[in-house]
Amino acid sequence: MDLFDIIGPIMIGPSSSHTAGAARIGKITRMLLGSQPVEARIGLWGSFQKTYLGHGTDKALIGGLLGMEVDDIRLRDSLSLAREAGLAYSFYNVRLKDAHPNTVVLEVADELGRQVKVQAASVGGGEIVIRSIDDLEAGFSGKENTLVITHHDTPGMIAGMTREIAASRLNIATMRVFRQSAGGQALVALELDSPADPGLIERLKALAGVYHVAYLAAREQGEE
Amino acid sequence: MRTMAELFGAAEKGSISLGEAALRWQMAESRQSEEAVKARMAQALAVMKESVQAGLDPNLRSVSGMVGGGAAKLAHPAQAGRFGLLGKAAAYALSVAESNACMGKIVAAPTAGSCGILPGALLAAQEEQGFEEDALVMALFAAAAVGRVIALSATISGAQGGCQAESGTAAAMTAAALVQLYGGSPRQALDAAGFAIMNMMGLVCDPVHGLVEVPCVYRNVGGVSQALAAAQMALGGLACPIEWDALIGAMKDVGESLPLSLRETGEGGCAACSFCAP
């Protein structure tokens, strides 16, 4: 925690957890999809469900899906901007077990029909955790340089990925691997100490068995 | 600088202000130049100024309609001059808090719900006394260092520690910043923070309908008045009679002993009262 976690973030009100965190979740979901969403089905749970209208949680989530940052004043008008951008959205009350009170489940799709389902929680002060992607456990904050790779679970996949990361001379800070079943779809979430280069992302995408690669660049301190 | 004692030690050792000690710590932490770190704080100050102006719109209303437009009344020249600096600080604190409630752009300090206290006091003081921009930036560093100690030693979350953790922390940060701005010593600045924690202790978090509106925006006015009072005592030579870090520990204990109904659940306190539409 540094001094700009105390005086900051610069954000659109009224709530760091219900507004800023929600916008951040929307933005990361867009990045995980990798394109402009045209459809979004959003389930709200807990405090999100009870107080979303008064906190602008709906506007923040949609604004994030449209690519807005937490300090973008257009968050206020995001629902009408979504209509202009061709994003159809709906909200519903979702029932979850043992979930953080500020949890949301987003199912989004782009023009080409690519879909992603994200469950995330806003855990306070604008910080968030991506809990799952396409029902595969994830567990990252999006604060660090993060690579999210979905792939076919087959021997040698992880070795192939880490070889490419080593070739880019990058250090892995954390790494989590999850799968639905042996030989099924699997997910790797890697946090890197320094930014990934575009070449690395292309090489990872080209690996046999890799379905999708999303890269979230760290929120760099001081970078405005 | 994880405790008030350590923060004081860092300032004493270098014969520098709290703000200067905080600036040097941040430079080391983020491995950035003095210029870069100060530019970032100056950016926060610029947004604070914009948020004061944005909140003065008399037509401003929150989504629920419970708040908005109050600061425009307090900032009216016929009102703002009453009680000296307090009148203007109250107007500005309310302005930023109402701006936040109405989806305006603000700087969390330390939280969004308590975002009016620090800019309210500092910007009113600047208008009254003509303080340089750089002096305000350095006062913000002092405030941030105090807030960080409280965040590390206790909590700045209303859901965990009640409103004392949010607006109480903001008042402590503001009191320290004011003392530095008005030429007090690091010890006086921390005494002021101590007085603010002492006088805000026990304040519960009881938002009506669970929204950051009532009583939150008015608590920002209360917090700024407590910050001014605390700074006044410290600058006047009163020493805080309880150790700074012990006060933060006590605030943590009080927060943990609050029932859940008084920790941002929107059940107890003001939230349990019937609400009169304005």
Side-chain angles (χ1 to χ4, degrees):
Chain A
M1 181 193 302
D2 75 9
L3 299 183
F4 295 106
D5 293 316
I6 300 297
I7 299 198
I10 296 172
M11 54 169 274
I12 304 304
S15 163
S16 56
S17 53
H18 287 66
T19 320
R24 184 82 191 139
I25 288 170
K27 178 87 192 272
I28 290 181
T29 300
R30 177 195 175 94
M31 291 161 95
L32 290 169
L33 181 67
S35 50
Q36 164 81 27
V38 296
E39 209 184 314
R41 205 169 157 263
I42 302 173
L44 301 170
W45 163 251
S47 175
F48 265 12
Q49 192 180 100
K50 288 187 193 132
T51 65
Y52 77 98
L53 278 177
H55 282 128
T57 307
D58 51 344
K59 295 176 180 175
L61 286 164
I62 296 295
L65 286 175
L66 293 173
M68 296 175 200
E69 295 289 348
V70 299
D71 64 346
D72 192 327
I73 196 74
R74 294 175 304 157
L75 285 176
R76 282 178 177 182
D77 308 313
S78 68
L79 299 184
S80 56
L81 291 169
R83 281 189 286 278
E84 287 171 30
L87 167 61
Y89 61 84
S90 60
F91 287 90
Y92 67 100
N93 293 337
V94 68
R95 284 180 72 92
L96 299 170
K97 260 180 84 178
D98 301 326
H100 186 281
N102 296 331
T103 295
V104 55
V105 180
L106 302 103
E107 290 164 278
V108 296
D110 70 9
E111 212 170 29
L112 301 172
R114 195 186 122 68
Q115 298 177 11
V116 67
K117 179 180 176 189
V118 174
Q119 182 172 326
S122 182
V123 296
E127 301 296 322
I128 63 121
V129 178
I130 302 294
R131 298 276 188 217
S132 71
I133 300 169
D134 293 336
D135 295 320
L136 292 164
E137 220 179 305
F140 58 87
S141 69
K143 270 181 104 173
E144 313 300 330
N145 298 294
T146 309
L147 274 168
V148 181
I149 306 167
T150 46
H151 62 92
H152 187 70
D153 178 40
T154 182
M157 282 302 308
I158 307 293
M161 293 173 199
T162 53
R163 197 180 308 121
E164 296 301 339
I165 291 164
S168 280
R169 302 211 152 273
L170 291 168
N171 196 33
I172 297 171
T174 69
M175 177 167 176
R176 295 189 189 86
V177 186
F178 305 96
R179 65 180 186 188
Q180 269 163 341
S181 58
Q185 182 164 312
L187 179 141
V188 176
L190 292 140
E191 291 180 323
L192 305 170
D193 282 338
S194 36
D197 50 283
L200 169 62
I201 294 160
E202 288 313 311
R203 293 200 306 280
L204 289 169
K205 282 181 179 169
L207 288 175
V210 165
Y211 300 132
H212 190 257
V213 179
Y215 175 60
L216 318 175
R219 280 187 287 167
E220 195 43 61
Q221 302 299 314
E223 192 183 85
E224 301 294 347
Chain B
M1 302 197 302
R2 299 180 67 88
T3 64
M4 299 286 252
E6 283 177 30
L7 176 57
F8 178 68
E12 274 283 287
K13 197 171 143 213
S15 302
I16 51 178
S17 68
L18 290 185
E20 185 68 36
L23 168 66
R24 291 182 191 181
W25 179 88
Q26 180 66 38
M27 286 162 59
E29 172 71 14
S30 59
R31 286 181 236 140
Q32 282 182 316
S33 68
E34 177 174 339
E35 202 182 13
V37 173
K38 280 179 95 167
R40 209 166 160 211
M41 196 61 93
Q43 167 72 16
L45 180 59
V47 175
M48 286 177 173
K49 289 190 177 185
E50 288 166 19
S51 64
V52 166
Q53 289 310 313
L56 293 177
D57 177 356
N59 299 316
L60 207 60
R61 288 294 176 278
S62 64
V63 179
S64 74
M66 288 193 290
V67 300
K73 290 180 184 164
L74 287 193
H76 190 278
Q79 306 297 330
R82 195 181 299 123
F83 303 132
L85 182 62
L86 178 62
K88 194 174 266 186
Y92 289 178
L94 184 60
S95 184
V96 176
E98 287 190 325
S99 182
N100 178 62
C102 303
M103 290 194 85
K105 186 169 170 175
I106 56 93
V107 185
T111 61
S114 60
C115 67
I117 296 169
L118 185 58
L122 294 192
L123 297 174
Q126 185 182 33
E127 281 187 19
E128 295 293 306
Q129 300 289 326
F131 292 119
E132 298 287 336
E133 207 72 0
D134 188 62
L136 259 69
V137 168
M138 293 312 293
L140 287 176
F141 276 107
V146 168
R148 181 172 175 274
V149 168
I150 299 174
L152 291 173
S153 313
T155 174
I156 57 168
S157 148
Q160 284 181 281
C163 192
Q164 57 164 6
E166 296 205 28
S167 58
T169 300
M173 292 163 61
T174 305
L178 282 170
V179 167
Q180 178 173 306
L181 202 54
Y182 281 78
S185 68
R187 181 179 291 281
Q188 286 175 305
L190 293 174
D191 278 340
F195 279 127
I197 296 167
M198 187 190 288
N199 289 356
M200 297 286 276
M201 195 170 294
L203 194 61
V204 302
C205 180
D206 49 356
V208 173
H209 302 323
L211 301 177
V212 194
E213 299 191 13
V214 179
C216 318
V217 303
Y218 308 108
R219 294 255 169 87
N220 276 264
V221 179
V224 87
S225 71
Q226 291 278 7
L228 289 171
Q232 172 70 1
M233 286 193 274
L235 285 165
L238 306 191
C240 183
I242 301 174
E243 262 184 39
W244 310 313
D245 290 301
L247 278 166
I248 296 173
M251 170 190 156
K252 178 175 193 260
D253 292 342
V254 168
E256 284 169 0
S257 63
L258 287 176
L260 268 178
S261 64
L262 299 175
R263 286 193 267 161
E264 213 181 302
T265 49
E267 292 167 1
C270 291
C273 304
S274 54
F275 183 70
C276 310

